[in-house]
Amino acid sequence: MLFNSLRFLIFFPIVTTAFFLLPCRWRWLLLLSASCFFYMAFIPVYILILAFIIVADYVAGIAIERAQGPRRTHYLWLGLAANIGVLFIFKYFNFFNENMDALARLIHWNYPLGALNIILPLGLSFQTFKAMSYTFEVYYGRIAAERHLGIYALYVMFYPQLIAGPIERPYDLLPQLHAEQQVDWGRIGRGLQLMLWGFFQKIVIADRLSAMVDQVYNHPGTYTGLPVLLATYAFAFQIYCDFSGYSDIAIGAGQVMGFNLMANFDRPYFSQSISEFWRRWHISLSSWFRDYLFQPITFLKRNWGNWGVTCALTITFLATGLWHGANWTYVIWGGIHGMCIVLGLWLTDVRRAAVAALKLNHFPSLLRLLNVFITFHIVCFSWIFFRADSLQDAFTLIRCLPGGWAAPLGTPPWHWIFYLGLTRWDVLISVAALLILLGAHLDQGPGSLRQRLSAQPVWLRWPLYYAGIATVISFSTITRKTFVYFQF
Amino acid sequence: MISERLQKVILRKLKLDKFDFKNETLASQVPGWDSLTHISVIVEIEKTFNVRFKMQEILRLKNLGELQKLIDARASSRLE
């Protein structure tokens, strides 16, 4: 079920109302049933895959807790193997097969395995990573194994996070699933606000910008210069608004029912370095990789100094890329980010010396602005690989980037914006919406508009909320698009 | 309470002049202590206190107070 569908607009109030009307001891059952219904709106039989993952990690958790010595590690590996095995079969087998086949042809070997004709279950990477997070935490002894199978199943399947995260941690979510949630109108209001903001990002900005991005990225080699640049900038905001929008709807929906879900984004395009970008972008995934892959590798290779960290960064970012999809484009995308962080690690002193030599440290605001500008453009460059359908397409687009910038019919170059699948009205709304987004990102903390709005009386607040809803509906795009991160 | 020796190691490794360390202080609250520098701080502590931590011991730590307790526990077990 899509968040931006009529079905969800009916599903959500019914489930929320029933949640608060039911006695506490039955609420988990309602949410679990609702989550199954939510998931089965796609391919019903795939619920069996989730059932397998849930049972495997539930059993592994209890086994790890009961075991002593090396058996704990064996059970950890068994639990992880169940998740990674499912992920490999459904997501990576054909990719692995294609590459093996290409390699076999190169060495004239008759490779016997054919491709599997299966559809990737939606959000499988999110669900398996959430389940693995639980197994790791039990292994590290930071949480006790969950004995209530229903609550554990709900932890993996909690419908707001089921398809595209945030990849919640068990020590945050499991206690909340056991707790008794009360009706709190203030919190419900804040949750609905966040959901509205998420819808604004998704259906007003992301879906609109996607037309421009598709026009250029689906026809690599057709456009040169400015259109490629504009489409790449547009994609940077499309992917952000699409995913951040989804996360806000998910977090808001959880908040309405009384659950505090982890933040997934923190204004990532204001980052001053790539490592900072990863502390602000898809936080639930980057912290997953940090906690369960990067840190263990750095620990095991701690005698290698910076080389150990380099090794851990390389593996972590290639894995992060591969997590997004079985395509070399994602691996390169992850590799670019990893390489930049590695360079940052080794060149810290050189960078400090360059800043001092250029006397940029006397102008901290300018330095900050410069860092943000450079980081944003590195991220945009990497988005070319992320969005392109193949490596060949990505390289074609990069080759076309410095090409001629002249717009059709002898108009000034900036007129290109009107030739890329957007009407003048769309361009106007996109620019206005992006300015609102920028304003919201700058207006944070105490005294922000959101906080001041929350302090207003009900008779003023609710009409404003309705006006917000009407605005989002009025300025939304006609076609409904799925969320980009659903495919992962 | 965080010992002066531990405070000095952290300050030296992170190139800080001073910081108000408390038991509840999280690594992420100390300037410069992030996932990239974390392991170098741990290695420096191992060298200074002549201890060798297990991965699970480090991954389980929640704050500096727990790190101090871990170091103290190691030191006392060595004395025994």
Side-chain angles (χ1 to χ4, degrees):
Chain A
M1 193 183 302
L2 291 173
F3 278 166
N4 53 339
S5 69
L6 190 63
R7 289 178 80 181
F8 181 73
L9 289 182
I10 299 166
F11 170 90
F12 177 66
I14 292 176
V15 172
T16 307
T17 311
F19 177 79
F20 285 121
L21 289 177
L22 269 179
C24 288
R25 66 177 187 280
W26 297 115
R27 286 179 178 173
W28 69 268
L29 191 59
L30 169 82
L31 282 184
L32 185 60
S33 312
S35 301
C36 290
F37 178 78
F38 186 88
Y39 185 80
M40 288 165 80
F42 298 110
I43 300 177
V45 73
Y46 275 1
I47 194 111
L48 295 174
I49 301 168
L50 278 190
F52 171 72
I53 293 168
I54 288 165
V55 172
D57 285 284
Y58 174 77
V59 173
I62 293 173
I64 290 168
E65 196 174 67
R66 285 183 181 163
Q68 296 289 327
R71 290 182 79 87
R72 285 170 53 79
T73 313
H74 297 160
Y75 289 129
L76 169 74
W77 282 112
L78 275 175
L80 298 183
N83 290 280
I84 294 169
V86 168
L87 205 51
F88 179 78
I89 293 168
F90 285 93
K91 189 165 178 174
Y92 298 106
F93 180 79
N94 284 346
F95 176 63
F96 171 80
N97 218 28
E98 279 166 26
N99 285 288
M100 284 302 286
D101 192 45
L103 187 71
R105 260 184 274 149
L106 207 68
I107 57 172
H108 305 291
W109 169 47
N110 192 17
Y111 183 69
L113 292 178
L116 287 176
N117 188 19
I118 41 175
I119 300 169
L120 174 67
L122 281 171
L124 187 63
S125 301
F126 290 95
Q127 295 132 19
T128 47
F129 269 51
K130 206 172 172 189
M132 284 194 281
S133 168
Y134 165 80
T135 317
F136 274 120
E137 292 300 332
V138 175
Y139 178 73
Y140 290 143
R142 287 192 285 221
I143 60 162
E146 175 60 58
R147 293 302 200 271
H148 193 308
L149 179 60
I151 295 279
Y152 178 69
L154 180 57
Y155 158 73
V156 177
M157 293 196 64
F158 187 48
Y159 84 82
Q161 305 179 312
L162 181 59
I163 305 298
I167 306 168
E168 200 70 45
R169 297 308 161 80
Y171 46 75
D172 285 331
L173 188 55
L174 279 170
Q176 294 189 63
L177 296 175
H178 280 286
E180 194 174 315
Q181 311 296 349
Q182 304 293 341
V183 177
D184 176 343
W185 289 105
R187 193 194 60 223
I188 290 172
R190 288 192 297 278
L192 291 173
Q193 252 183 51
L194 198 57
M195 288 177 81
L196 182 63
W197 179 242
F199 280 116
F200 169 77
Q201 291 179 82
K202 168 64 181 164
I203 60 182
V204 178
I205 307 180
D207 286 356
R208 186 163 270 111
L209 291 178
S210 73
M212 181 198 266
V213 176
D214 293 349
Q215 179 75 17
V216 174
Y217 274 78
N218 292 350
H219 309 96
T222 309
Y223 298 94
T224 60
L226 195 59
V228 181
L229 191 65
L230 285 172
T232 305
Y233 285 148
F235 182 67
F237 288 100
Q238 182 205 337
I239 188 83
Y240 171 73
C241 290
D242 192 286
F243 195 22
S244 166
Y246 179 92
S247 300
D248 285 345
I249 298 168
I251 296 166
Q255 207 171 355
V256 168
M257 290 185 286
F259 299 98
N260 285 320
L261 307 182
M262 73 186 292
N264 224 8
F265 292 91
D266 178 18
R267 300 170 295 153
Y269 292 144
F270 285 159
S271 304
Q272 295 191 58
S273 67
I274 296 295
S275 54
E276 187 187 346
F277 175 79
W278 279 98
R279 288 194 291 274
R280 291 162 163 253
W281 176 273
H282 201 175
I283 299 166
S284 65
L285 179 74
S286 57
S287 58
W288 194 102
F289 275 112
R290 181 197 64 206
D291 293 347
Y292 307 127
L293 187 65
F294 176 78
Q295 284 194 346
I297 299 174
T298 51
F299 195 84
L300 292 172
K301 301 293 170 202
R302 63 193 192 274
N303 295 334
W304 291 12
N306 267 359
W307 285 109
V309 180
T310 301
C311 171
L313 279 171
T314 309
I315 294 170
T316 303
F317 275 93
L318 292 179
T320 304
L322 203 58
W323 178 90
H324 284 81
N327 195 326
W328 286 109
T329 51
Y330 294 118
V331 180
I332 300 283
W333 170 76
I336 292 170
H337 283 265
M339 196 179 69
C340 290
I341 299 178
V342 166
L343 284 175
L345 178 73
W346 286 96
L347 301 177
T348 310
D349 293 337
V350 175
R351 192 182 158 280
R352 273 200 199 118
V355 167
L358 294 167
K359 298 199 185 326
L360 283 170
N361 43 352
H362 297 305
F363 308 97
S365 299
L366 177 68
L367 181 61
R368 218 166 23 240
L369 209 63
L370 196 66
N371 286 337
V372 169
F373 181 84
I374 293 169
T375 306
F376 176 70
H377 282 84
I378 293 171
V379 172
C380 282
F381 178 74
S382 73
W383 285 137
I384 297 176
F385 288 92
F386 191 96
R387 174 59 183 83
D389 291 332
S390 65
L391 276 186
Q392 198 185 356
D393 284 2
F395 288 124
T396 305
L397 285 155
I398 292 167
R399 266 199 309 275
C400 289
L401 202 49
W405 286 37
L409 308 170
T411 49
W414 65 269
H415 274 224
W416 258 120
I417 204 157
F418 302 117
Y419 293 100
L420 299 173
L422 297 185
T423 62
R424 277 170 190 266
W425 177 241
D426 282 330
V427 172
L428 190 71
I429 295 171
S430 302
V431 172
L434 286 171
L435 286 174
I436 292 172
L437 183 76
L438 177 69
H441 283 188
L442 292 172
D443 180 42
Q444 299 278 317
S448 67
L449 186 65
R450 196 175 171 206
Q451 283 201 352
R452 274 182 286 157
L453 185 66
S454 301
Q456 299 304 317
V458 177
W459 62 265
L460 183 63
R461 252 187 303 138
W462 282 91
L464 282 172
Y465 293 157
Y466 285 122
I469 294 168
T471 310
V472 169
I473 293 170
S474 314
F475 293 106
S476 67
T477 53
I478 296 160
T479 49
R480 289 282 81 81
K481 288 178 180 276
T482 56
F483 290 85
V484 176
Y485 266 69
F486 271 27
Q487 61 185 302
F488 307 137
Chain B
M1 194 179 138
I2 310 302
S3 71
E4 206 167 307
R5 199 171 170 208
L6 178 57
Q7 292 193 30
K8 273 186 184 166
V9 179
I10 298 169
L11 291 173
R12 187 175 67 235
K13 196 62 203 172
L14 297 175
K15 294 177 182 157
L16 295 172
D17 294 328
K18 58 178 181 177
F19 187 81
D20 184 19
F21 292 103
K22 295 192 175 86
N23 281 342
E24 308 76 40
T25 304
L26 306 173
S28 57
Q29 292 169 332
V30 184
W33 194 337
D34 57 24
S35 55
L36 294 178
T37 52
H38 181 68
I39 200 65
S40 61
V41 175
I42 296 297
V43 169
E44 197 65 20
I45 292 168
E46 284 186 329
K47 277 185 197 160
T48 310
F49 291 91
N50 194 24
V51 289
R52 188 87 175 157
F53 299 121
K54 287 182 188 155
M55 184 162 72
Q56 285 191 40
E57 289 174 332
I58 293 299
L59 293 176
R60 233 178 252 165
L61 297 177
K62 290 196 180 92
N63 52 39
L64 279 185
E66 291 192 4
L67 176 62
Q68 180 69 63
K69 267 190 206 162
L70 180 66
I71 296 167
D72 294 344
R74 282 308 182 79
S76 61
S77 68
R78 226 182 20 241
L79 286 174
E80 287 162 12

